[in-house]
Every structure is written in structure tokens, then in C-alpha cells.
């Protein structure tokens, strides 16, 4: 990755993480999820955990994880998901961060990388406190959420020409407001008007109900209808009705296509 893009990458991940962690918690059903973006300096890459959902204390907030250290450090080094089902006793990781993990009462923990152009831009974690193991389906769901976040981050980094034009016009408008010379201000205003004459084509919009969105979010991570019904506390027929309604609104003919189109339309 171009080192000049790193500040933008960190900002985008910081902006998207709160909502994506809520989604991760909903998809996995875990009591606590957390994450953060990576930082790079002369000493190497490190992860800063500054987004938490479901935490009971503040021991993990602001924790700095270094490559090779702890669970997250394994992910930074290997660029692959990592899971331990008894954090305190596992020999698969170092125990540099045991105190913070113990204070939060975590037992089974997984960490999944957010890969952006082949490098770890951030890490998502999920954990339980009861001592029960975390299953493969839960980790797969987290991998899907991380992959979606990766796609959204890369899309923002690749901003299309229309986006860049809008940003340039906004910057020009700010410059005009700050210009005291009336003659120069008038010239800049004429330039801004000429540049903004071409209309922006609006994108198609679809409207889904909150429950239709909930159902499609679970479809997106591979949940079957029975599992969706159990997770959302709905009957199987109600889940099917929500899917039929969503497919009709999105003008597609199957549940997978509905989830995909809803994602492209920014609804998920």
C-alpha cells in the first residue's frame, strides 16, 4: 500500500468500525466485540484497540498490540484469522496482554484481519466470558463482515472521478468563502459555476424495513432460514415473508441476489 494512503485508511476504518462492530455482534451473537486500525512507524506495525461494543470495563480500550504479541499480534504477523478457546492457558500465543483480557473476563476469543490491498489495515475481535468455545460458523460470519469492510474501505480509497470532483468543488467553495478580495472572489465563483454545471446523476434508491435488513444481513453471512428465525425470534414463515418482500423491492429472484443488491445500494 502507498504510505501516503495510510492516514486515509486509518480514518476510513475508524469511521466505519462502530457500525460494523454492531453488525458483527448481531451476526455472531457474541457478548463483546472490539477492533481498531493499525498504525505504522519506524518500529513497525501496531494495532490500537479503540472501538469496543459490550465491554464491562475499560481495560482493553486503547490497548496497543504489537506484531507477534498476543492473539492480535498473531493476526498482524500471519494476516489470517486466529482463535483460542481458552485464552488464559493456550500456548499458541504470548501472554503480554493477559491482565487486560482477565479484567474483562474473556475466555474464548477470535481475531480476524481487515486486509486492505494485501496488508492488515485493522483487526476485528469477538469473545465470550462463559468459557464456552467459539464455533466455526461464528468465525466464518466474522470473516464475511471483515471482507465487507475491506471492500468498503477499498472502494472509498479508489474514489471515482465524480467523487473527487465533488470534493474539489467543496474545497473551492471554502476557498471562496475565505477570500477577502471581491474581484478574486468573483473570478473563483465563476470558475466554480462552470465546473459544477454538469448534473450528477442520482443513483437508484430502494427502501427496506428494519426487519428486512436484519434478515438480509444474516443471509449475507450464510445463515439458513431456520437459523435466521431462531436468531431474530421469528417464525420460519415470517422470515420467508420478509425475504419475499425484500426480493420484490430489490427486483431480484433469490435471497443471495437480494443481499448482494442491498449491499451495493448501501442498505446493509
Amino acid at each position: 500500500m502507498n504510505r501516503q494512503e495510510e492516514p486515509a485508511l486509518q480514518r476510513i476504518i475508524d469511521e466505519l468500525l462502530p457500525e460494523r462492530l454492531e453488525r458483527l455482534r448481531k451476526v455472531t451473537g457474541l457478548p463483546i466485540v472490539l477492533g481498531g486500525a493499525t498504525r505504522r512507524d519506524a518500529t513497525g506495525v501496531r494495532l490500537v484497540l479503540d472501538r469496543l461494543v459490550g465491554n464491562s470495563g475499560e481495560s482493553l480500550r486503547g490497548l496497543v498490540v504489537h506484531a507477534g504479541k498476543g492473539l492480535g499480534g498473531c493476526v498482524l504477523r500471519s494476516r489470517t484469522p486466529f482463535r483460542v478457546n481458552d485464552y488464559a492457558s493456550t500456548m499458541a500465543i504470548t501472554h503480554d496482554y493477559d491482565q487486560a483480557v482477565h479484567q474483562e473476563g474473556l475466555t474464548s476469543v477470535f481475531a480476524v484481519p481487515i486486509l486492505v490491498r494485501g496488508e492488515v489495515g485493522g483487526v476485528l475481535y469477538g469473545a465470550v466470558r462463559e468459557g464456552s468455545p467459539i464455533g466455526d460458523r461464528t468465525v466464518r460470519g466474522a470473516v464475511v463482515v471483515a471482507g465487507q469492510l475491506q471492500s468498503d474501505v477499498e472502494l472509498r480509497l479508489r474514489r471515482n472521478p465524480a467523487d473527487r470532483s465533488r470534493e474539489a468543488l467543496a474545497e473551492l467553495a471554502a476557498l471562496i468563502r475565505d477570500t477577502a478580495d471581491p474581484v478574486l472572489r468573483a473570478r473563483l465563483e465563476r470558475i466554480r459555476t462552470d465546473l459544477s454545471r454538469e448534473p450528477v446523476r442520482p443513483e437508484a434508491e430502494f427502501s427496506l424495513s428494519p426487519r428486512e435488513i436484519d434478515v438480509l444481513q444474516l443471509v449475507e453471512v450464510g445463515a439458513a432460514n431456520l437459523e435466521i428465525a431462531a436468531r431474530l425470534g421469528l417464525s420460519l414463515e415470517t422470515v420467508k415473508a420478509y425475504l419475499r418482500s425484500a426480493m420484490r423491492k430489490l427486483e431480484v429472484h433469490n435471497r443471495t441476489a437480494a443481499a448482494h443488491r442491498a449491499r451495493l445500494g448501501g442498505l446493509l
Side-chain angles (χ1 to χ4, degrees):
M1 173 177 295
N2 187 334
R3 292 293 177 255
Q4 294 179 341
E5 292 181 324
E6 288 181 0
L9 170 64
Q10 294 165 13
R11 174 179 52 77
I12 293 168
I13 291 179
D14 286 341
E15 289 175 358
L16 295 177
L17 260 183
E19 186 272 334
R20 302 312 163 90
L21 287 174
E22 290 287 356
R23 182 181 302 172
L24 177 62
R25 194 183 189 195
K26 180 180 294 186
V27 165
T28 62
L30 293 174
I32 176 171
V33 294
L34 56 148
T38 56
R39 308 286 192 272
R40 297 176 190 276
D41 56 24
T43 64
V45 62
R46 66 191 191 282
L47 171 71
V48 181
L49 298 179
D50 52 6
R51 298 288 189 274
L52 298 90
V53 179
N55 53 305
S56 60
E58 295 298 307
S59 63
L60 294 170
R61 190 180 301 279
L63 188 69
V64 178
V65 178
H66 296 276
K69 305 293 185 180
L71 182 67
C74 289
V75 172
L76 291 178
R77 179 164 289 176
S78 69
R79 304 181 184 183
T80 60
F82 212 87
R83 168 179 49 179
V84 294
N85 281 324
D86 187 355
Y87 192 98
S89 64
T90 183
M91 301 299 292
I93 62 173
T94 71
H95 289 272
D96 299 73
Y97 312 111
D98 278 11
Q99 183 176 356
V101 173
H102 176 72
Q103 288 180 20
E104 190 61 42
L106 306 183
T107 51
S108 299
V109 188
F110 70 78
V112 175
I114 305 165
L115 293 175
V116 180
R117 298 177 182 173
E119 298 186 14
V120 181
V123 178
L124 301 178
Y125 291 75
V128 297
R129 299 185 176 93
E130 298 82 8
S132 57
I134 293 174
D136 292 342
R137 181 181 289 274
T138 298
V139 177
R140 285 199 300 270
V143 169
V144 170
V145 173
Q148 293 165 350
L149 180 53
Q150 169 195 337
S151 297
D152 291 342
V153 170
E154 291 182 343
L155 183 62
R156 289 202 184 187
L157 287 174
R158 288 197 306 267
R159 294 185 320 273
N160 61 44
D163 292 330
R164 290 195 293 270
S165 296
R166 281 190 286 268
E167 291 177 5
L169 286 170
E171 186 174 352
L172 182 56
L175 180 62
I176 292 169
R177 288 194 301 270
D178 295 339
T179 300
D181 186 333
V183 176
L184 178 58
R185 189 188 311 115
R187 290 179 62 189
L188 291 173
E189 184 60 47
R190 284 195 299 272
I191 294 172
R192 188 186 71 83
T193 300
D194 289 341
L195 291 175
S196 59
R197 277 177 181 167
E198 186 172 348
V200 177
R201 182 180 178 182
E203 296 182 357
E205 293 185 359
F206 301 95
S207 177
L208 296 177
S209 72
R211 269 311 196 197
E212 288 166 349
I213 291 173
D214 290 341
V215 169
L216 289 180
Q217 284 177 338
L218 292 173
V219 167
E220 197 173 28
V221 298
N225 287 356
L226 278 173
E227 184 182 356
I228 295 171
R231 185 71 62 85
L232 298 180
L234 304 171
S235 71
L236 179 59
E237 289 306 315
T238 300
V239 169
K240 291 179 179 178
Y242 281 131
L243 286 172
R244 286 194 297 268
S245 175
M247 287 187 289
R248 184 179 65 255
K249 292 177 180 179
L250 295 169
E251 301 176 351
V252 296
H253 301 293
N254 62 67
R255 63 205 296 274
T256 303
H260 180 66
R261 188 156 194 186
R263 158 67 48 190
L264 292 179
L267 298 175
L268 300 185

